[in-house]
Amino acid sequence: MKFKIDVKSIKFKMVAYFILFATVILIGIWGLQVVMLNYFYGTMKTNQTKEVVQELHNSYKTKSTDRFLKDVEHVSDTYDMYIYVSSYDGTAIYFKPSGNDISRLPGFENEEDANDDGVPYKYAAQIQTLRKHMLNGEGSAYVKIKGADDSQVILAYGGLLQSKDKEHMAIFMFSPLWPMSSTVRILASNLVLVTIIALLIACLISVYLSTRITRPIRKMEKTAKRLADGEYGIVFKGGHYSELVNLADTLTSASIELEKSDMMHKDLMANVSHDLKTPLTMIKSYAEMIRDLSGDIPEKRNQHLQVIMDEADRLNGLVNDMLTVSRLQSGKLTLEASDFDLTESVDNILNTYRVKELDSSYTFNFESAGEFYVHADKEKIQQVISNFITNALKFCGDDKTINISLIKKGRMVELSVEDHGSGIAPEEIDHIWERYYRSSSNMVRETEGSGLGLSICKEILSLHKIQFGVDSTLGQGSRFWFQLPIVKKPVNS
C-alpha cells in the first residue's frame, strides 16, 4: 500500500495562484486608474457643467447683475471653465475673467488666436452656432467639440438668461473633458512602481503561506506512510489551520479504528482457529478409535460415532453462525416481515429445551398476559430468542432457573430472558455483543457455543430498528430483553 502526496506541486500551484490573483487585481487597478480615467473624468465634468449651468441660471434670476457676474467669475476660476456672457443682441458683457488662465485651453495659445472681444476664434465660431439655436427659439443646447487633437474634447453650452425685471442675456460655457496628460503620466509611473512592489510582496507572502500550509501536510504524509506500512494507533498533527487540524483528527481516528480492527481480526482468527480445532481434533481422534479399537464392538462403535456426529453438528453450527454474521454485517441479509403470535413462538422454542428439565434439572418459567401479535421477521426473531435462552443456560447459576416473560409496555411488547448467575460487570456490558468477547466474570459454561450468538442477536435486532439491551448485577444475574411493536390480530388467525 503506497501513500504519496506531491507537496512540491501543491506549493508551486499555491504560489502560482496567489501571484495570478495579485496580477489580476493589479490589472484591474491599471484599467481603472489609467484606461478608464478619461471616461470617469469626462463623466464627472459633464455632470459638473450641468450643475453649474443650473446654478448660474438661478443666480441670474435672484441676484443683481453685478452679483451675478461675480458668481460667473467665481465659477470660472473654481471649475476651470471658459464663460462668455453677452447681451441678447450679442454685445460682450463678460469674458476672459482675471485670474483664469485661458491660454491653456485648446485653440488659444496666444493673443493672435482671439478676436477683438478676446474670444478665441475656435470658441467664437461655436458661440455663433449656439446663438443661432437660441434665436431660432430652440432654447439651450449642449455640443461637444474637438480640441487640438481627437483625444481632447470640450463640452460647449449655450443658453438664454431670462428674468422678469432684467434684460435677457446669453451665456456660453466651455469645459474641457480630459485630464492633464501629465497627471496620467504621473499615475502610470507610480502604478509601475506599485505593481513591482506588489508583485514582490505577493511572491514573499505566497511562499510563506504555501510553506506554512505544506509543512504539516509533509509531516502527515510521512505519518501516513507509517500507517500504510501497518503501524496503527499513531497520532497525526494538523498544524495551524482548522481544516488541516480536522484532517489530522480524522486520520488519527482512522488510525485508531484500524488498530482496533486489526486487533479484532487477530482475535477472530485466533478464536475461530481454536473453535474449529477442537471439534476437528475430536472427530479425528474418535475416527481413529473406531478404526483401531471399537470397529468390531457395536456398543463402543456407536458411542464413538455419536461423538463424531455431535462434534460435526457443533462444527456445522459454528460455520453457520459465521456465515450469518457475515451476511448480516455485509447487508446482504434482508428481513421478511410478517404478522405472527410471539407468545406461540416462545412456547414452540421452549418445547425444544424441555429435555433439559429432565436430563439436567433445569427449570424454565414462562409468563405471558396472553397473545401478542407483532410484525417482524419470524424466523430471525426466533433465532434471537433461542440465542438468549442458550446464553442463559450457559450462565444461569446453581439454581438452574431461567425466566422468560412477555410484558406489554404501551404499544410495545417486551420479551425478556432472565437468569440468576454471577452477572456481568458494568464496564463489560457494552462489549458482550461483540464477536468472541470473553467476560472476566467467573461463569460456568455448561455447553460450548460458537461465541457469535449475542453478536448475531445484535445484528438482527439492529436490522429491525428496535430497542434491546441487557440489565445485569454482579452476583444476582442478567436479563436480556428486546421490544417489538404490537399489531392487531390477523382476521384469518
Side-chain angles (χ1 to χ4, degrees), residues 72-81 94 97-101:
V72 171
E73 182 177 359
H74 173 73
V75 167
S76 179
D77 291 338
T78 302
Y79 296 105
D80 193 21
M81 296 177 181
Y94 173 88
S98 59
N100 188 35
D101 188 8

Side-chain angles (χ1 to χ4, degrees), residues 52-60 68 71-72 75 171 173:
V52 169
V53 166
Q54 186 62 42
E55 180 182 337
L56 291 178
H57 273 275
N58 293 334
S59 177
Y60 182 74
F68 163 71
D71 289 345
V72 171
V75 167
I171 183 170
M173 301 175 61

Side-chain angles (χ1 to χ4, degrees), residues 452-465:
L452 298 172
L454 293 180
S455 177
I456 293 174
C457 292
K458 175 186 175 182
E459 297 296 335
I460 291 176
L461 296 174
S462 297
L463 197 62
H464 278 81
K465 298 179 180 180

Side-chain angles (χ1 to χ4, degrees), residues 19 43 65 68 90 128 176 196 203 232 305 334 375 398:
I19 294 176
T43 302
T65 302
F68 163 71
Q128 294 301 322
I196 295 174
C203 290
Y232 305 128
L305 287 173
T334 58
H375 184 76
D398 296 334

Side-chain angles (χ1 to χ4, degrees), residues 341-391:
D341 185 357
L342 185 60
T343 304
E344 181 182 357
S345 295
V346 175
D347 270 329
N348 294 335
I349 293 171
L350 284 177
N351 288 335
T352 63
Y353 287 91
R354 294 299 180 187
V355 66
K356 294 285 185 180
E357 292 181 329
L358 300 176
D359 296 343
S360 303
S361 301
Y362 283 95
T363 301
F364 296 92
N365 298 321
F366 176 43
E367 295 182 4
S368 176
E371 296 179 340
F372 291 102
Y373 282 86
V374 296
H375 184 76
D377 189 314
K378 182 178 181 179
E379 180 180 349
K380 294 181 178 60
I381 292 297
Q382 287 178 338
Q383 184 178 2
V384 171
I385 298 172
S386 295
N387 286 348
F388 278 1
I389 295 175
T390 300
N391 186 74

Side-chain angles (χ1 to χ4, degrees), residues 253-292:
S253 299
S255 173
I256 295 173
E257 291 301 321
L258 284 173
E259 183 180 31
K260 292 180 180 179
S261 178
D262 183 62
M263 293 177 62
M264 291 178 63
H265 174 72
K266 292 177 181 178
D267 290 342
L268 176 63
M269 294 298 296
N271 285 310
V272 169
S273 298
H274 176 270
D275 285 345
L276 290 176
K277 183 179 180 180
T278 300
L280 287 174
T281 301
M282 295 287 289
I283 291 172
K284 181 180 180 181
S285 298
Y286 277 89
E288 290 176 348
M289 291 176 66
I290 293 174
R291 182 194 64 187
D292 298 334

Side-chain angles (χ1 to χ4, degrees), residues 57-116:
H57 273 275
N58 293 334
S59 177
Y60 182 74
K61 291 179 181 180
T62 59
K63 298 179 181 179
S64 64
T65 302
D66 293 339
R67 185 60 182 169
F68 163 71
L69 293 177
K70 287 183 179 180
D71 289 345
V72 171
E73 182 177 359
H74 173 73
V75 167
S76 179
D77 291 338
T78 302
Y79 296 105
D80 193 21
M81 296 177 181
Y82 176 79
I83 303 176
Y84 177 79
V85 181
S86 69
S87 63
Y88 188 75
D89 59 5
T91 303
I93 297 177
Y94 173 88
F95 63 94
K96 193 182 178 182
S98 59
N100 188 35
D101 188 8
I102 196 66
S103 63
R104 59 190 174 83
L105 292 177
F108 188 87
E109 283 74 28
N110 50 60
E111 295 292 336
E112 287 75 14
D113 293 327
N115 60 18
D116 295 337

Side-chain angles (χ1 to χ4, degrees), residues 225-232:
K225 288 180 180 178
R226 293 166 53 197
L227 180 63
D229 292 336
E231 185 180 347
Y232 305 128

